Amino acid sequence: MTARTHLFTESDRPDTNFVLRVWDEAPDGRRRLITTAYLKASHHEFDEERTTEGDPFHPHTRAVPVEQGRGEERVPRLRPFTATFMPGHRPVAELPNAEPLADAHTAPLPPDAFHLPVGRPVTREIYRGAAHPSRLVLPFTTVMEAHAAGQGSARDHEADRRNSL
């Protein structure tokens, strides 16, 4: 299974950018960036033949203006990642309304991530519930499962995690 995200959204502008960041948050509040996803709302079309579950392929061949006042599904592609969450840590998803054009955490975004920025205030609504199931799906295994699969010991995983913070 691959990590994936589905957002059911509405916007008051003909375009907006979605930049999703997933963090590993420690009990003391320190955070480490795990992965990011980016999608320009007007470029949400899929190439059905090249899209697989968890790996949407957006050809970016044309812009389709967002229908204001109408909720639509957007499927940003999460960048591939692996992470070990230590006891007490938790994943945190962040979907800011502002466009982070340049900061210390934009490096994991693909080179084409900032094509045609919106550059003006945008109000968005993210829907959730049975009719609009916005979601972030993160597959996981336990340390014991990883150890059984020959991917190192629990002690190795804990040492690697401490060294990365």
Side-chain angles (χ1 to χ4, degrees), residues 96-114:
N97 205 34
E99 299 172 14
L101 294 181
D103 68 13
H105 302 290
T106 55
L109 292 172
D112 66 345
F114 299 113

Side-chain angles (χ1 to χ4, degrees), residues 79-103:
R79 307 303 297 165
F81 71 97
T82 60
T84 300
F85 290 90
M86 298 308 295
H89 287 237
R90 65 186 186 130
V92 174
E94 174 183 82
L95 186 65
N97 205 34
E99 299 172 14
L101 294 181
D103 68 13

Side-chain angles (χ1 to χ4, degrees), residues 23-149:
W23 303 86
D24 173 355
E25 185 174 84
D28 64 4
R30 289 181 299 151
R31 298 190 315 170
R32 180 175 66 105
L33 186 64
I34 300 296
T35 190
T36 57
Y38 171 88
L39 182 64
K40 187 165 196 63
S42 64
H43 287 231
H44 75 279
E45 289 185 310
F46 293 110
D47 178 329
E48 295 292 339
E49 292 181 13
R50 297 172 75 179
T51 292
T52 60
E53 182 65 28
D55 192 14
F57 185 85
H58 304 282
H60 303 290
T61 55
R62 69 184 189 130
V64 178
V66 173
E67 289 188 43
Q68 297 170 14
R70 179 174 173 232
E72 296 183 280
E73 183 178 24
R74 310 284 180 215
V75 185
R77 182 178 181 270
L78 281 164
R79 307 303 297 165
F81 71 97
T82 60
T84 300
F85 290 90
M86 298 308 295
H89 287 237
R90 65 186 186 130
V92 174
E94 174 183 82
L95 186 65
N97 205 34
E99 299 172 14
L101 294 181
D103 68 13
H105 302 290
T106 55
L109 292 172
D112 66 345
F114 299 113
H115 65 287
L116 308 172
V118 174
R120 66 181 150 231
V122 174
T123 301
R124 302 184 305 212
E125 289 190 44
I126 308 295
Y127 297 104
R128 59 187 186 147
H132 301 96
S134 292
R135 62 203 178 275
L136 171 64
V137 179
L138 300 175
F140 69 94
T141 61
T142 65
V143 171
M144 299 312 263
E145 289 170 339
H147 176 64

